[in-house]
PDB file of all heavy atoms in Angstrom:
ATOM      1  N   ALA A  11      52.196 -98.878 -42.547  1.00  0.00           N
ATOM      2  CA  ALA A  11      51.685 -99.555 -43.772  1.00  0.00           C
ATOM      3  C   ALA A  11      50.278-100.018 -43.621  1.00  0.00           C
ATOM      4  O   ALA A  11      49.411 -99.863 -44.609  1.00  0.00           O
ATOM      5  CB  ALA A  11      52.634-100.811 -44.097  1.00  0.00           C
ATOM      6  N   LEU A  18      43.692 -97.414 -48.355  1.00  0.00           N
ATOM      7  CA  LEU A  18      43.601 -98.031 -49.683  1.00  0.00           C
ATOM      8  C   LEU A  18      42.310 -98.882 -49.811  1.00  0.00           C
ATOM      9  O   LEU A  18      41.631 -98.844 -50.875  1.00  0.00           O
ATOM     10  CB  LEU A  18      44.845 -98.827 -49.925  1.00  0.00           C
ATOM     11  CG  LEU A  18      44.843 -99.652 -51.294  1.00  0.00           C
ATOM     12  CD1 LEU A  18      44.828 -98.597 -52.437  1.00  0.00           C
ATOM     13  CD2 LEU A  18      46.052-100.536 -51.367  1.00  0.00           C
ATOM     14  N   TYR A  65      41.964-107.937 -28.287  1.00  0.00           N
ATOM     15  CA  TYR A  65      42.951-108.191 -27.262  1.00  0.00           C
ATOM     16  C   TYR A  65      42.344-108.955 -26.070  1.00  0.00           C
ATOM     17  O   TYR A  65      42.922-109.926 -25.592  1.00  0.00           O
ATOM     18  CB  TYR A  65      43.640-106.919 -26.777  1.00  0.00           C
ATOM     19  CG  TYR A  65      44.822-107.183 -25.931  1.00  0.00           C
ATOM     20  CD1 TYR A  65      46.035-107.659 -26.439  1.00  0.00           C
ATOM     21  CD2 TYR A  65      44.790-107.062 -24.533  1.00  0.00           C
ATOM     22  CE1 TYR A  65      47.134-107.872 -25.694  1.00  0.00           C
ATOM     23  CE2 TYR A  65      45.803-107.334 -23.650  1.00  0.00           C
ATOM     24  CZ  TYR A  65      46.998-107.726 -24.284  1.00  0.00           C
ATOM     25  OH  TYR A  65      48.081-107.973 -23.465  1.00  0.00           O
ATOM     26  N   TYR A  66      41.153-108.540 -25.606  1.00  0.00           N
ATOM     27  CA  TYR A  66      40.584-109.166 -24.518  1.00  0.00           C
ATOM     28  C   TYR A  66      39.608-110.274 -24.862  1.00  0.00           C
ATOM     29  O   TYR A  66      39.731-111.395 -24.421  1.00  0.00           O
ATOM     30  CB  TYR A  66      39.873-108.202 -23.581  1.00  0.00           C
ATOM     31  CG  TYR A  66      40.820-107.217 -22.889  1.00  0.00           C
ATOM     32  CD1 TYR A  66      40.906-105.851 -23.131  1.00  0.00           C
ATOM     33  CD2 TYR A  66      41.688-107.721 -21.940  1.00  0.00           C
ATOM     34  CE1 TYR A  66      41.750-104.999 -22.531  1.00  0.00           C
ATOM     35  CE2 TYR A  66      42.621-106.867 -21.315  1.00  0.00           C
ATOM     36  CZ  TYR A  66      42.614-105.530 -21.591  1.00  0.00           C
ATOM     37  OH  TYR A  66      43.554-104.661 -20.958  1.00  0.00           O
ATOM     38  N   THR A  90      27.439-107.582 -33.875  1.00  0.00           N
ATOM     39  CA  THR A  90      26.154-107.290 -33.225  1.00  0.00           C
ATOM     40  C   THR A  90      26.248-105.957 -32.454  1.00  0.00           C
ATOM     41  O   THR A  90      25.207-105.222 -32.296  1.00  0.00           O
ATOM     42  CB  THR A  90      25.930-108.409 -32.135  1.00  0.00           C
ATOM     43  OG1 THR A  90      25.813-109.686 -32.899  1.00  0.00           O
ATOM     44  CG2 THR A  90      24.581-108.137 -31.476  1.00  0.00           C
ATOM     45  N   GLY A 102      25.241-103.973 -44.579  1.00  0.00           N
ATOM     46  CA  GLY A 102      26.168-103.225 -43.604  1.00  0.00           C
ATOM     47  C   GLY A 102      26.548-104.210 -42.531  1.00  0.00           C
ATOM     48  O   GLY A 102      27.786-104.264 -42.113  1.00  0.00           O
ATOM     49  N   ILE A 109      34.741-107.425 -41.985  1.00  0.00           N
ATOM     50  CA  ILE A 109      35.874-106.568 -41.538  1.00  0.00           C
ATOM     51  C   ILE A 109      36.426-107.172 -40.265  1.00  0.00           C
ATOM     52  O   ILE A 109      37.642-107.294 -40.038  1.00  0.00           O
ATOM     53  CB  ILE A 109      35.371-105.082 -41.354  1.00  0.00           C
ATOM     54  CG1 ILE A 109      35.103-104.433 -42.608  1.00  0.00           C
ATOM     55  CG2 ILE A 109      36.450-104.304 -40.534  1.00  0.00           C
ATOM     56  CD1 ILE A 109      34.412-103.069 -42.543  1.00  0.00           C
ATOM     57  N   THR A 119      47.752-113.618 -36.962  1.00  0.00           N
ATOM     58  CA  THR A 119      48.912-113.662 -37.859  1.00  0.00           C
ATOM     59  C   THR A 119      50.242-112.981 -37.135  1.00  0.00           C
ATOM     60  O   THR A 119      51.266-113.502 -37.218  1.00  0.00           O
ATOM     61  CB  THR A 119      48.721-113.011 -39.120  1.00  0.00           C
ATOM     62  OG1 THR A 119      47.684-113.696 -39.873  1.00  0.00           O
ATOM     63  CG2 THR A 119      49.934-112.950 -40.056  1.00  0.00           C
ATOM     64  N   CYS A 127      46.063-104.208 -36.113  1.00  0.00           N
ATOM     65  CA  CYS A 127      44.567-104.102 -36.197  1.00  0.00           C
ATOM     66  C   CYS A 127      44.196-102.647 -35.897  1.00  0.00           C
ATOM     67  O   CYS A 127      43.337-102.118 -36.525  1.00  0.00           O
ATOM     68  CB  CYS A 127      43.923-105.024 -35.143  1.00  0.00           C
ATOM     69  SG  CYS A 127      44.189-106.810 -35.428  1.00  0.00           S
ATOM     70  N   LEU A 130      45.043-100.493 -38.977  1.00  0.00           N
ATOM     71  CA  LEU A 130      44.129-100.617 -40.102  1.00  0.00           C
ATOM     72  C   LEU A 130      42.751 -99.965 -39.778  1.00  0.00           C
ATOM     73  O   LEU A 130      42.151 -99.310 -40.557  1.00  0.00           O
ATOM     74  CB  LEU A 130      43.963-102.111 -40.392  1.00  0.00           C
ATOM     75  CG  LEU A 130      42.984-102.520 -41.504  1.00  0.00           C
ATOM     76  CD1 LEU A 130      43.556-102.056 -42.806  1.00  0.00           C
ATOM     77  CD2 LEU A 130      42.712-104.012 -41.481  1.00  0.00           C
ATOM     78  N   GLY A 133      43.139 -96.227 -39.728  1.00  0.00           N
ATOM     79  CA  GLY A 133      43.262 -95.724 -41.080  1.00  0.00           C
ATOM     80  C   GLY A 133      41.930 -95.653 -41.782  1.00  0.00           C
ATOM     81  O   GLY A 133      41.654 -94.695 -42.502  1.00  0.00           O
ATOM     82  N   TRP A 134      41.118 -96.696 -41.625  1.00  0.00           N
ATOM     83  CA  TRP A 134      39.809 -96.762 -42.304  1.00  0.00           C
ATOM     84  C   TRP A 134      38.917 -95.660 -41.741  1.00  0.00           C
ATOM     85  O   TRP A 134      38.295 -94.864 -42.532  1.00  0.00           O
ATOM     86  CB  TRP A 134      39.220 -98.132 -41.978  1.00  0.00           C
ATOM     87  CG  TRP A 134      37.742 -98.269 -42.546  1.00  0.00           C
ATOM     88  CD1 TRP A 134      36.594 -97.820 -41.904  1.00  0.00           C
ATOM     89  CD2 TRP A 134      37.306 -98.697 -43.881  1.00  0.00           C
ATOM     90  NE1 TRP A 134      35.550 -98.093 -42.720  1.00  0.00           N
ATOM     91  CE2 TRP A 134      35.946 -98.593 -43.850  1.00  0.00           C
ATOM     92  CE3 TRP A 134      38.070 -99.212 -44.908  1.00  0.00           C
ATOM     93  CZ2 TRP A 134      35.285 -98.978 -45.006  1.00  0.00           C
ATOM     94  CZ3 TRP A 134      37.333 -99.616 -46.071  1.00  0.00           C
ATOM     95  CH2 TRP A 134      35.931 -99.527 -46.106  1.00  0.00           C
ATOM     96  N   PHE A 136      39.521 -92.900 -39.951  1.00  0.00           N
ATOM     97  CA  PHE A 136      40.045 -91.597 -40.103  1.00  0.00           C
ATOM     98  C   PHE A 136      39.866 -91.105 -41.562  1.00  0.00           C
ATOM     99  O   PHE A 136      39.503 -89.985 -41.853  1.00  0.00           O
ATOM    100  CB  PHE A 136      41.515 -91.529 -39.747  1.00  0.00           C
ATOM    101  CG  PHE A 136      42.179 -90.191 -39.823  1.00  0.00           C
ATOM    102  CD1 PHE A 136      41.918 -89.190 -38.901  1.00  0.00           C
ATOM    103  CD2 PHE A 136      43.110 -89.895 -40.879  1.00  0.00           C
ATOM    104  CE1 PHE A 136      42.526 -87.964 -38.954  1.00  0.00           C
ATOM    105  CE2 PHE A 136      43.664 -88.663 -40.927  1.00  0.00           C
ATOM    106  CZ  PHE A 136      43.414 -87.695 -40.024  1.00  0.00           C
ATOM    107  N   VAL A 139      36.183 -90.082 -42.643  1.00  0.00           N
ATOM    108  CA  VAL A 139      35.707 -88.780 -42.307  1.00  0.00           C
ATOM    109  C   VAL A 139      36.657 -87.628 -42.867  1.00  0.00           C
ATOM    110  O   VAL A 139      36.131 -86.794 -43.568  1.00  0.00           O
ATOM    111  CB  VAL A 139      35.721 -88.669 -40.721  1.00  0.00           C
ATOM    112  CG1 VAL A 139      35.408 -87.197 -40.371  1.00  0.00           C
ATOM    113  CG2 VAL A 139      34.605 -89.539 -40.199  1.00  0.00           C
ATOM    114  N   PHE A 141      39.431 -87.668 -45.030  1.00  0.00           N
ATOM    115  CA  PHE A 141      39.771 -87.658 -46.503  1.00  0.00           C
ATOM    116  C   PHE A 141      38.631 -87.581 -47.419  1.00  0.00           C
ATOM    117  O   PHE A 141      38.633 -86.995 -48.476  1.00  0.00           O
ATOM    118  CB  PHE A 141      40.638 -88.877 -46.769  1.00  0.00           C
ATOM    119  CG  PHE A 141      41.957 -88.882 -46.120  1.00  0.00           C
ATOM    120  CD1 PHE A 141      42.693 -90.077 -45.966  1.00  0.00           C
ATOM    121  CD2 PHE A 141      42.633 -87.689 -45.703  1.00  0.00           C
ATOM    122  CE1 PHE A 141      43.924 -90.047 -45.313  1.00  0.00           C
ATOM    123  CE2 PHE A 141      43.821 -87.695 -45.007  1.00  0.00           C
ATOM    124  CZ  PHE A 141      44.518 -88.929 -44.873  1.00  0.00           C
ATOM    125  N   SER A 147      30.144 -96.257 -40.334  1.00  0.00           N
ATOM    126  CA  SER A 147      29.102 -97.218 -39.781  1.00  0.00           C
ATOM    127  C   SER A 147      27.775 -96.464 -39.439  1.00  0.00           C
ATOM    128  O   SER A 147      27.257 -96.630 -38.416  1.00  0.00           O
ATOM    129  CB  SER A 147      29.692 -97.929 -38.622  1.00  0.00           C
ATOM    130  OG  SER A 147      30.841 -98.640 -38.924  1.00  0.00           O
ATOM    131  N   SER A 153      33.218 -83.026 -41.268  1.00  0.00           N
ATOM    132  CA  SER A 153      34.522 -83.349 -41.651  1.00  0.00           C
ATOM    133  C   SER A 153      35.192 -82.177 -42.399  1.00  0.00           C
ATOM    134  O   SER A 153      34.486 -81.176 -42.612  1.00  0.00           O
ATOM    135  CB  SER A 153      34.589 -84.581 -42.555  1.00  0.00           C
ATOM    136  OG  SER A 153      33.850 -84.360 -43.768  1.00  0.00           O
ATOM    137  N   LEU A 155      36.218 -82.542 -45.525  1.00  0.00           N
ATOM    138  CA  LEU A 155      35.868 -82.742 -46.887  1.00  0.00           C
ATOM    139  C   LEU A 155      34.425 -83.210 -47.003  1.00  0.00           C
ATOM    140  O   LEU A 155      33.957 -83.999 -46.219  1.00  0.00           O
ATOM    141  CB  LEU A 155      36.797 -83.873 -47.513  1.00  0.00           C
ATOM    142  CG  LEU A 155      36.602 -84.113 -49.009  1.00  0.00           C
ATOM    143  CD1 LEU A 155      37.081 -82.859 -49.778  1.00  0.00           C
ATOM    144  CD2 LEU A 155      37.401 -85.323 -49.420  1.00  0.00           C
ATOM    145  N   MET A 159      26.521 -88.604 -51.931  1.00  0.00           N
ATOM    146  CA  MET A 159      26.306 -89.926 -52.502  1.00  0.00           C
ATOM    147  C   MET A 159      24.878 -89.986 -53.148  1.00  0.00           C
ATOM    148  O   MET A 159      23.999 -89.331 -52.689  1.00  0.00           O
ATOM    149  CB  MET A 159      26.460 -90.973 -51.467  1.00  0.00           C
ATOM    150  CG  MET A 159      27.830 -91.283 -50.987  1.00  0.00           C
ATOM    151  SD  MET A 159      27.883 -92.700 -49.864  1.00  0.00           S
ATOM    152  CE  MET A 159      29.643 -92.763 -49.570  1.00  0.00           C
ATOM    153  N   GLU A 173      30.567 -98.820 -45.817  1.00  0.00           N
ATOM    154  CA  GLU A 173      30.478-100.052 -45.101  1.00  0.00           C
ATOM    155  C   GLU A 173      29.228-100.833 -45.452  1.00  0.00           C
ATOM    156  O   GLU A 173      29.096-102.040 -45.084  1.00  0.00           O
ATOM    157  CB  GLU A 173      30.691 -99.847 -43.643  1.00  0.00           C
ATOM    158  CG  GLU A 173      32.086 -99.531 -43.241  1.00  0.00           C
ATOM    159  CD  GLU A 173      32.144 -98.732 -41.922  1.00  0.00           C
ATOM    160  OE1 GLU A 173      31.299 -97.854 -41.642  1.00  0.00           O
ATOM    161  OE2 GLU A 173      33.115 -98.877 -41.214  1.00  0.00           O
ATOM    162  N   THR A 179      31.788-105.455 -49.918  1.00  0.00           N
ATOM    163  CA  THR A 179      31.642-106.897 -49.656  1.00  0.00           C
ATOM    164  C   THR A 179      32.539-107.730 -50.604  1.00  0.00           C
ATOM    165  O   THR A 179      33.270-108.629 -50.205  1.00  0.00           O
ATOM    166  CB  THR A 179      30.155-107.336 -49.973  1.00  0.00           C
ATOM    167  OG1 THR A 179      29.286-106.472 -49.306  1.00  0.00           O
ATOM    168  CG2 THR A 179      29.944-108.804 -49.547  1.00  0.00           C
ATOM    169  N   LEU A 186      39.997-111.884 -47.989  1.00  0.00           N
ATOM    170  CA  LEU A 186      39.904-113.056 -47.197  1.00  0.00           C
ATOM    171  C   LEU A 186      40.299-114.267 -47.978  1.00  0.00           C
ATOM    172  O   LEU A 186      41.020-115.225 -47.529  1.00  0.00           O
ATOM    173  CB  LEU A 186      38.524-113.313 -46.599  1.00  0.00           C
ATOM    174  CG  LEU A 186      38.164-112.339 -45.441  1.00  0.00           C
ATOM    175  CD1 LEU A 186      36.643-112.470 -45.096  1.00  0.00           C
ATOM    176  CD2 LEU A 186      38.957-112.530 -44.241  1.00  0.00           C
ATOM    177  N   PHE A 189      44.101-114.156 -48.303  1.00  0.00           N
ATOM    178  CA  PHE A 189      44.681-114.493 -47.021  1.00  0.00           C
ATOM    179  C   PHE A 189      44.609-116.045 -46.848  1.00  0.00           C
ATOM    180  O   PHE A 189      45.603-116.618 -46.385  1.00  0.00           O
ATOM    181  CB  PHE A 189      43.933-113.838 -45.893  1.00  0.00           C
ATOM    182  CG  PHE A 189      44.503-113.963 -44.576  1.00  0.00           C
ATOM    183  CD1 PHE A 189      45.393-113.006 -44.047  1.00  0.00           C
ATOM    184  CD2 PHE A 189      44.295-115.017 -43.757  1.00  0.00           C
ATOM    185  CE1 PHE A 189      45.988-113.146 -42.843  1.00  0.00           C
ATOM    186  CE2 PHE A 189      44.889-115.254 -42.508  1.00  0.00           C
ATOM    187  CZ  PHE A 189      45.734-114.205 -41.986  1.00  0.00           C
TER     188      PHE A 189
END
Side-chain angles (χ1 to χ4, degrees):
L18 178 62
Y65 190 76
Y66 290 115
T90 302
I109 290 170
T119 297
C127 296
L130 180 68
W134 175 275
F136 183 73
V139 172
F141 295 157
S147 299
S153 66
L155 184 67
M159 290 186 178
E173 289 155 322
T179 310
L186 289 171
F189 189 94

